[in-house]
């Protein structure tokens, strides 16, 4: 048998069967759930604000704590799945997630909702690493694995699209808590068929989890996020610097500890591969790029244009569906160009889309802004899918859980930081602009409320005489439009950085095999 014939036989032997492809469909369910729950609150926040009356800080935590705790626990859950079994962890997390969405749906106080969202993040952290890591052991052929990863990324984009749309439909007829319950059917199906269709995999040489490492990783991640969010939202203070320094110190101790452990929570040797480390940076910045602008867009649709939640959800569909198309196109692009150049092309599309939307301005018309936003989403889908492929394919199969966790840490942390930092910077732009354009005859106490958030401006206008109230609303809409434009320029710059990064660091890196 010739060498070429032997290679062909090996390739055929490693190609997936109907069982793996059916399992891929099952693994898309937890990805859908995670993405839906990440975006469904974007349109529900006005209803939650009216019912639970959270303060400005509580509103931010309701939005962000889910993504933050996911990012904080991903490293731990990725390694835990390698140790106890990826299927077992996936199904256990899905069961916990199903119980917690019910708690979130019936929350009666902002603190209760924040706590439920935080625990949902912990449960959600079990889903994505296990789902992506199982792909590594199910699909041995590089081309098939790349397609499977693109399907998973497309499922994530579809979930992100379904979140606002289904949330908008439910909010038309039911209370805000119903938006959490839409995930229950998918979770029930996963728990019913997962044990039969998904293979189990665990690292036979894995040892007990190092609990100090778990605490160090969680403290470092959440400390950095908390310090940055609070500093941007409320102004930088000494306490924020102390928290940030403490978090960085915990991170340093975590890294030093991983180097000493025989079986570390995070295998730092993976970062020695340029394909792995550069792709992580690209995925993080790609997730960061548009998350904040997308958050402000959903608020703009409701607070400025006064669309219903359902109408706003429909206007967000082009962006998310374009991201889905980009994810599915990614495996086709790398048939003709190298990974680095395909990812850079995607990011250049993101630059053009975000910059064009910012240049024409939101006053030019909603269809034009949404169309350019969709172009940015198309490019983002390509880049994030190919970056994920490089990350997961670099790791050996026994470390696939850790690699998948790091891939998700980058994406989730990027999106969470994008919403927190860019969203908070948008709030800063809003406050500064309102301080300049708000009519002088507005009483000081009312002006302070109007300058804090656009929701506060709407509330303040209801307590003012007709002509002054209209001037306050016009000023608030102008200020929020400036905030959205600023977020789009940040997105364009961030995408340009990613394009340069991948070309410089990955242009000589071979495709995964």
């Amino acid at each position: 048998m010739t060498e070429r014939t032997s290679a062909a036989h090996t390739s055929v032997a490693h190609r997936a069967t109907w069982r793996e492809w059916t399992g891929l469909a099952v693994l898309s369910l937890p990805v859908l759930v995670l993405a839906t729950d990440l975006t469904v609150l974007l349109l529900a926040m006005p209803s939650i604000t009216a019912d639970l009356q959270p303060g400005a800080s509580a509103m931010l935590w309701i939005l962000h704590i889910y993504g933050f705790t996911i990012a904080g626990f991903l490293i731990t859950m990725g390694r835990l799945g390698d140790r106890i079994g990826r299927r077992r962890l996936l199904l256990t997390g899905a069961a916990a997630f199903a119980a917690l969405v019910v708690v979130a749906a019936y929350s009666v106080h902002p603190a209760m909702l924040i706590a439920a969202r935080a625990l949902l993040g912990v449960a959600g952290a079990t889903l994505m690493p296990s789902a992506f890591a199982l792909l590594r052991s199910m699909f041995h052929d590089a081309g098939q694995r790349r397609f499977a990863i693109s399907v998973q990324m497309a499922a994530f984009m579809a979930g992100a699209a379904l979140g606002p749309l289904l949330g908008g439909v439910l909010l038309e007829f039911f209370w805000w808590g119903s938006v959490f319950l839409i995930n229950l059917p998918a979770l029930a199906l996963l728990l019913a068929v997962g044990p039969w269709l998904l293979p189990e995999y665990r690292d036979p040489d894995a040892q007990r989890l190092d609990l100090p490492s778990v605490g160090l990783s969680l403290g470092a991640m959440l400390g950095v996020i908390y310090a940055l969010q609070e500093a941007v939202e409320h102004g930088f203070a000494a306490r924020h610097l102390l928290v940030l320094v403490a978090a960085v110190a915990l991170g340093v101790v975590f890294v030093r500890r991983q180097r000493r452990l025989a079986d570390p929570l995070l295998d730092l040797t993976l970062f020695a591969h340029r394909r792995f480390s550069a792709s992580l940076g690209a995925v993080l910045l790609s997730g960061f790029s548009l998350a904040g602008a997308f958050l402000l867009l959903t608020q703009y649709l409701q607070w400025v244009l006064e669309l219903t939640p359902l109408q706003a959800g429909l206007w967000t569909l082009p962006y998310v569906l374009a991201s889905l198309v980009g994810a599915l196109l990614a495996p086709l692009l790398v048939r003709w160009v190298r990974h680095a150049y395909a990812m850079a092309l995607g990011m250049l599309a993101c630059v053009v889309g975000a910059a064009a939307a910012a240049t024409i301005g939101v006053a030019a018309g909603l269809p034009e802004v949404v169309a350019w936003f969709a172009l940015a989403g198309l490019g983002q889908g390509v880049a994030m899918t190919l970056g994920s492929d490089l990350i997961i394919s670099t790791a050996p199969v026994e470390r696939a859980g850790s690699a998948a966790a790091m891939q998700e840490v980058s994406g989730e942390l990027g999106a969470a930081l994008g919403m927190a930092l860019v969203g908070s910077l948008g709030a800063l732009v809003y406050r500064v602009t309102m301080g300049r354009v708000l009519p002088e005859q507005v009483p000081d106490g009312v002006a302070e409320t109007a300058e804090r958030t656009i929701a506060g401006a709407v509330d303040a206008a209801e307590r003012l005489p007709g002509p002054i109230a209209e001037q306050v609303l016009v000023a608030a809409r102008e200020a929020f439009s400036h905030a959205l434009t600023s977020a789009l320029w940040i997105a364009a710059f961030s995408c340009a950085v990613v394009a340069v990064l991948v070309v410089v660091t990955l242009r000589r890196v071979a495709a995964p095999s």
Side-chain angles (χ1 to χ4, degrees):
M1 183 180 293
T2 65
E3 182 178 346
R4 178 177 297 180
T5 304
S6 176
H9 276 282
T10 301
S11 177
V12 171
H14 285 170
R15 293 184 70 81
T17 66
W18 67 270
R19 189 175 186 87
E20 283 75 27
W21 293 116
T22 309
L24 173 63
V26 174
L27 286 177
S28 298
L29 294 173
V31 177
L32 277 168
V33 165
L34 199 68
T36 300
D37 212 64
L38 193 64
T39 61
V40 73
L41 277 194
L42 295 180
L43 295 179
M45 282 309 298
S47 300
I48 292 173
T49 301
D51 187 20
L52 300 185
Q53 297 293 316
S57 179
M59 286 177 62
L60 281 175
W61 281 112
I62 290 171
L63 275 173
H64 305 321
I65 191 64
Y66 174 71
F68 289 167
T69 52
I70 285 177
F73 279 93
L74 276 170
I75 295 174
T76 299
M77 296 303 180
R79 191 61 186 135
L80 183 61
D82 291 339
R83 179 182 177 273
I84 70 171
R86 294 165 186 167
R87 184 183 66 187
R88 176 187 296 180
L89 183 65
L90 175 69
L91 297 179
T92 302
F97 202 98
L100 288 165
V101 293
V102 177
V103 175
Y106 290 96
S107 295
V108 295
H109 189 275
M112 181 178 177
L113 182 56
I114 291 171
R117 292 281 288 170
L119 292 174
L120 275 170
V122 178
T126 69
L127 303 180
M128 291 288 271
S130 300
F132 276 91
L134 282 170
L135 296 182
R136 185 72 174 86
S137 53
M138 291 166 62
F139 296 93
H140 301 281
D141 178 80
Q144 290 187 329
R145 183 172 61 248
R146 186 174 302 122
F147 177 74
I149 291 173
S150 74
V151 169
Q152 290 288 71
M153 294 298 294
F156 188 86
M157 304 297 179
L162 286 173
L165 181 60
L166 294 179
V169 172
L170 290 172
L171 290 169
E172 287 286 316
F173 303 102
F174 304 103
W175 94 114
W176 59 264
S178 63
V179 301
F180 291 105
L181 303 181
I182 58 178
N183 285 320
L184 287 179
L187 291 167
L189 182 58
L190 171 64
L191 292 170
V193 302
W196 304 100
L197 288 174
L198 298 178
E200 183 60 285
Y201 181 89
R202 63 175 62 88
D203 181 0
D205 300 320
Q207 302 174 20
R208 293 182 59 185
L209 282 181
D210 182 58
L211 294 182
S213 294
V214 173
L216 288 169
S217 67
L218 184 62
M221 183 100 40
L222 294 183
V224 168
I225 294 170
Y226 172 81
L228 292 175
Q229 174 183 290
E230 292 297 301
V232 174
E233 176 64 19
H234 303 294
F236 197 81
R239 66 180 186 276
H240 301 137
L241 179 60
L242 290 175
V243 173
L244 184 61
V245 170
V248 172
L250 289 175
V252 172
V253 175
F254 172 78
V255 170
R256 292 171 64 89
R257 186 174 182 84
Q258 302 316 293
R259 289 176 174 172
R260 296 197 305 268
L261 293 175
D263 187 24
L265 184 67
L266 177 62
D267 186 359
L268 297 179
T269 62
L270 291 172
F271 289 88
H273 299 276
R274 178 183 296 182
R275 188 167 74 183
F276 183 86
S277 54
S279 298
L280 278 178
V283 168
L284 187 147
L285 287 175
S286 298
F288 173 88
S289 297
L290 292 174
F294 184 71
L295 170 63
L296 293 182
L297 176 65
T298 61
Q299 296 175 345
Y300 176 84
L301 294 173
Q302 294 184 86
W303 291 111
V304 176
L305 299 185
E306 299 180 329
L307 300 181
T308 67
L310 177 58
Q311 292 170 330
L314 290 173
W315 277 109
T316 64
L317 273 181
Y319 160 72
V320 186
L321 291 178
S323 300
L324 185 154
V325 172
L328 294 177
L329 284 177
L332 300 177
L333 282 177
V334 293
R335 293 183 180 181
W336 297 288
V337 296
R338 297 174 75 91
H339 271 66
Y341 297 119
M343 292 171 68
L345 284 173
M347 284 293 95
L348 287 177
C350 180
V351 172
V352 172
T359 300
I360 65 174
V362 291
L366 185 58
E368 290 86 351
V369 172
V370 169
W372 287 115
F373 221 96
L375 176 63
L378 178 73
Q380 186 186 43
V382 170
M384 293 196 70
T385 299
L386 295 180
S388 299
D389 177 40
L390 290 174
I391 293 166
I392 294 172
S393 301
T394 298
V397 67
E398 65 273 10
R399 295 286 181 174
S402 294
M406 287 306 302
Q407 176 248 337
E408 285 306 309
V409 165
S410 295
E412 294 288 347
L413 183 58
L417 285 174
M419 284 194 284
L421 295 181
V422 180
S424 297
L425 285 171
L428 178 62
V429 171
Y430 171 84
R431 289 197 298 270
V432 171
T433 306
M434 280 292 282
R436 188 178 68 250
V437 302
L438 195 65
E440 294 182 359
Q441 58 267 43
V442 176
D444 291 342
V446 177
E448 184 179 351
T449 301
E451 290 177 4
R452 190 175 298 119
T453 64
I454 190 170
V458 173
D459 180 65
E462 295 177 353
R463 293 180 278 137
L464 294 170
I468 300 179
E470 183 59 30
Q471 292 178 29
V472 170
L473 292 176
V474 169
R477 291 164 186 158
E478 178 185 347
F480 201 86
S481 297
H482 289 167
L484 177 56
T485 300
S486 300
L488 287 167
W489 279 119
I490 293 172
F493 176 78
S494 179
C495 291
V497 171
V498 179
V500 173
L501 171 69
V502 296
V503 170
V504 170
T505 59
L506 295 175
R507 67 182 185 276
R508 300 186 186 279
V509 172
S513 58

